[in-house]
Amino acid sequence: MDNTILKIEHITKKYPGVTALNDVSFEIGKGEVRALVGENGAGKSTLIKCIMGVEKPTEGKISLNYNGTWVSEMDALQTQAHGMFANYQHVNIAPDLSIAENYFLGKVPKTKFGTVDWKKMNDESHVIIDKFKMDVNPLAKIKDLPIAMQAMVTISKISVNKDIKLVIFDEPTALLENEKVETLFNYIKELKEQGVSVIYISHRLEEIMDICDSVSILKDGTYVDTKPISEVTKESLVSMMVGREMSDIYDIKHFEPGEELIRVENFGDGEHFENIDFAVHSGEILGFFGLVGAGRSEIMRALYGVEKHKTGKVYLKGKETHIRNPQMALEKRIGFLTEDRRADGLALPLAIKTNINMNSYDMISKAGVISLSKEDQRAEEYSKKINVKTPSIQQLVSNLSGGNQQKVVIAKLLCRDPEILIFDEPTVGVDVGAKEEIFKLIEKLTEQGKAIILISSYLPEVMGLSDRMIVMSQGKITARYDREQMKDLTEEQVLLAASIEE
């Protein structure tokens, strides 16, 4: 009996000026956990959309074996009706509804009187919440949760469905802390035992080696190969993805720190963080590490004027300053790369050139009139500086891969020539090639005397790149390390400091 659950046959997908997929074919077996890897722009996200019926292929056919019958040419609603579900890279749930309402969206249980059965919804939501060890109230609104918890709700929502044939996970661990990653992996093992097939996309190759049975590689929109996981290594996967051997991507040059550019004293907001003190010098990378809820992003949002702080002082080059909003921060030459580039960093329906110039139109305007030639010139200059892969600066940002979207946000920041750059999760959803480019860019910026504040949930990244590192837990600083101390530091020691409870 044929064990194949999904057939992808000669799939080609073309957009104006871009061929995202070119004649891609492979099959997936029932109960198989298949990794799908490739650099940003390789076509992974486009292929997922074609599988899920969100996009229609230009050529080719995708078929699902649904209880012995092959079904194809399904739209987005039909794929779900046939047991296919996707956990997309970007949190995709209704922010103004509660967790329970999101779980049962479209399938709300009713009482015998025809009204919403809130008790059943909450009881069943509690079961899911306990299963995924989330420790949250099912009545909590999504928008009030940390983004990592929102990601976990999105993942756990899949389990509400009874008839599941195939689940796609696109960068599911990018925003999760270690404990939640383990919970996710246990769920994937459970799905496999139930005969559910999984397509797993991640740039963290160690995860793929741990939980996948096989791996399919895409490169520049074309299919390279499918291999059993036992026949590949992280190094061989990188070589097939990018056409070069894996190197130590954290091996950047470090420079002698110069003058103090920013100092924060006794910073607190009365809720997420308190008693925060740190300073950053020119040419220096200060890393922040902590588990979900540690307060790292909240500090930076308050520092940048996005949120309010209640206590503390901020000094720029030794002079006390007050930053009440992001515009003031920009004027004081501070740039902020937020952790959610799609929500906070980009205007997705607009062109690359508009996005790159967005923060600095005042620099290319006279009497309120924008110089269109300078707009094009700056967009071309900065997109080339950081290697945005695109046929044209007229390309819509929504059509770019995740890594190239991230580069556009960085280009937007660099347009104002900031002295201090805050990078919050700069490599979320970014492949190994784009990561290396971003790290080399950070090296170049510090060589120019910029000060970098780096926040990352991926510990090897913080330890590998930082000159100094601050560890946080529950809104407080629990450890500080300089580069010399980090040479002998283990990940276990840092995680212990990040787990200290009051």
Side-chain angles (χ1 to χ4, degrees), residues 77-90:
L77 289 175
Q78 290 169 327
T79 55
Q80 291 199 22
H82 287 82
M84 297 168 68
F85 302 93
N87 172 244
Y88 292 104
Q89 182 177 336
H90 305 289

Side-chain angles (χ1 to χ4, degrees), residues 336-337 341 345-346 356 382 386 388 403-416 418 421 423 426-427 434 437-439 441-442 445:
F336 184 21
L337 179 77
R341 61 177 171 259
L346 294 167
I356 287 179
Y382 282 94
I386 59 173
V388 178
N404 283 303
Q405 288 181 353
Q406 191 77 312
K407 289 179 189 176
V408 170
V409 185
I410 294 171
K412 181 179 78 170
L413 301 183
L414 297 184
C415 258
R416 288 203 75 95
L421 281 154
F423 285 154
T427 60
E437 288 182 287
I438 290 172
F439 298 159
L441 175 64
I442 288 174
L445 291 169

Side-chain angles (χ1 to χ4, degrees), residues 216-220 222-226 240-241:
S216 293
I217 302 105
L218 297 180
K219 185 179 189 316
D220 299 328
T222 61
Y223 172 74
V224 176
D225 203 355
T226 295
M240 284 186 279
M241 283 192 295

